[in-house]
Amino acid sequence: MPAAEVPVSAELVRRLLGEQHPDLAGLSVEVLANGWDNLVCRLGEEFLVRLPRRAMAAELVAHEQRWLPELAGRLPLPVPAPVRVGQPMAQYPWCWSIVPFFPGRIAARSEPDNLWSAAEVLGGFLDALHVPASSQAPVNAFRGIPLAGRAEGVLTRLAHIDPADRATALQVWETAAAAPVWDGPPVWLHGDLHPANILVDRGRISAVIDFGDITSGDPATDLSVAWMLFTAEQRVVLRRAYSHADDATWERARGWALALSLVFLTHSADNPLMRSIGERTLHAVLE
């Protein structure tokens, strides 16, 4: 995990709240996660604080602050649109966010009780999200792009999987890469949609979180989640609920699922959760 570029702590959160949001400063602050990009703290019963620990992460938080309030109102699931925005100060150099706290556990740890229903819900969510994006949407050099831009990484990483699976995986990749490219307008994308960014509460998908990679482009990038969480039969339900994935888009989505599974497997030596997502996704892609 990358080192923090500035010291972040619950005490820093308390100081920032006291300076900028004193009406919230009396609430309890509890560290929930200190991850690659952000320190995440529970703030009282209703909120979370997301405090970037790297300059790159600060840019991602800024994207959420700019765009999620515009998108949230037309999405059928809750998303963490900031309710307050923190400003840089002498003691901390970047913007930071206070977002709603959503109850539940990530789908990677607690699957929905009914995956058929979950596939329909997630397909409907993506159908609502994937509308033409603003020309000012954040640019992401790795998501939403033509699959040709992922070819070098995929072919390199294929050398590290079980030789028994390599030929099938290569065939899947070549078929996906040969599919017609997306020729519609760039649509809004979550950009990093996988089971660790989907919340489940009381057995149902309840929210979609972590939009730091929000961007625009080919919807196939997000549709790759169909291979991360669902069986072949359940993927049919998701595709039907999504309503406008033609065969080429669906083939590219499978290619994206393969590409992302290889990334998860390659970069998860210290993250067994992401490794398990990678293993499951690769198996689904190859079946």
Side-chain angles (χ1 to χ4, degrees):
M1 186 172 77
E5 295 170 9
V6 297
V8 290
S9 64
E11 180 54 36
L12 174 61
V13 170
R14 293 186 187 98
R15 292 202 304 270
L16 293 172
L17 288 169
E19 291 284 342
Q20 300 186 30
H21 301 280
D23 59 315
L24 302 179
L27 299 176
S28 60
V29 176
E30 175 190 357
V31 174
L32 294 186
N34 194 359
W36 276 55
D37 291 331
N38 298 288
L39 176 75
V40 180
C41 294
R42 182 82 181 265
L43 177 62
E45 296 297 318
E46 299 181 30
F47 306 113
L48 295 177
V49 174
R50 284 167 58 82
L51 201 68
R53 57 197 298 278
R54 302 190 293 152
M56 180 183 298
E59 183 178 348
L60 302 184
V61 164
H63 292 164
E64 293 181 328
Q65 292 172 344
R66 169 64 182 88
W67 296 107
L68 279 189
E70 289 192 17
L71 298 177
R74 60 175 180 77
L75 297 175
L77 290 170
V79 298
V83 297
R84 304 278 186 97
V85 172
Q87 301 299 327
M89 297 179 62
Q91 58 189 311
Y92 182 75
W94 304 308
C95 290
W96 49 282
S97 295
I98 300 173
V99 303
F101 169 75
F102 299 138
R105 302 184 69 201
I106 56 174
R109 297 193 187 279
S110 179
E111 285 190 355
D113 291 344
N114 185 329
L115 283 166
W116 300 85
S117 175
E120 184 172 13
V121 167
L122 198 55
F125 173 84
L126 289 174
D127 189 49
L129 175 63
H130 289 172
V131 300
S134 166
S135 61
Q136 299 176 326
V139 174
N140 189 313
F142 304 102
R143 307 295 173 99
I145 62 174
L147 283 175
R150 304 291 306 224
E152 182 178 357
V154 167
L155 297 177
T156 299
R157 294 181 182 110
L158 281 176
H160 301 291
I161 69 171
D162 188 329
D165 294 330
R166 204 171 295 154
T168 303
L170 180 59
Q171 183 178 19
V172 168
W173 175 251
E174 290 176 342
T175 300
V181 300
W182 174 248
D183 60 358
V187 301
W188 280 115
L189 302 176
H190 179 283
D192 193 27
L193 191 60
H194 52 67
N197 285 333
I198 297 168
L199 287 186
V200 175
D201 185 42
R202 300 180 184 179
R204 297 183 178 184
I205 292 180
S206 57
V208 177
I209 59 174
D210 200 348
F211 278 74
D213 284 310
I214 189 170
T215 187
S216 65
D218 182 357
T221 302
D222 281 353
L223 289 168
S224 63
V225 73
W227 282 263
M228 300 181 190
L229 196 55
F230 303 112
T231 66
E233 294 80 7
Q234 292 156 0
R235 289 195 288 274
V236 173
V237 174
L238 185 150
R239 185 177 178 182
R240 186 183 304 125
Y242 184 73
S243 80
H244 55 276
D246 60 20
D247 289 346
T249 299
W250 202 245
E251 199 62 63
R252 293 194 309 277
R254 189 183 184 194
W256 271 102
L258 173 61
L260 294 172
S261 73
L262 296 174
V263 170
F264 297 158
L265 289 170
T266 304
H267 297 285
S268 59
D270 60 349
N271 193 331
L273 179 72
M274 294 309 295
R275 180 167 187 84
S276 69
I277 294 173
E279 291 172 344
R280 176 173 179 163
T281 305
L282 181 61
H283 177 77
V285 165
L286 299 182
E287 67 181 9

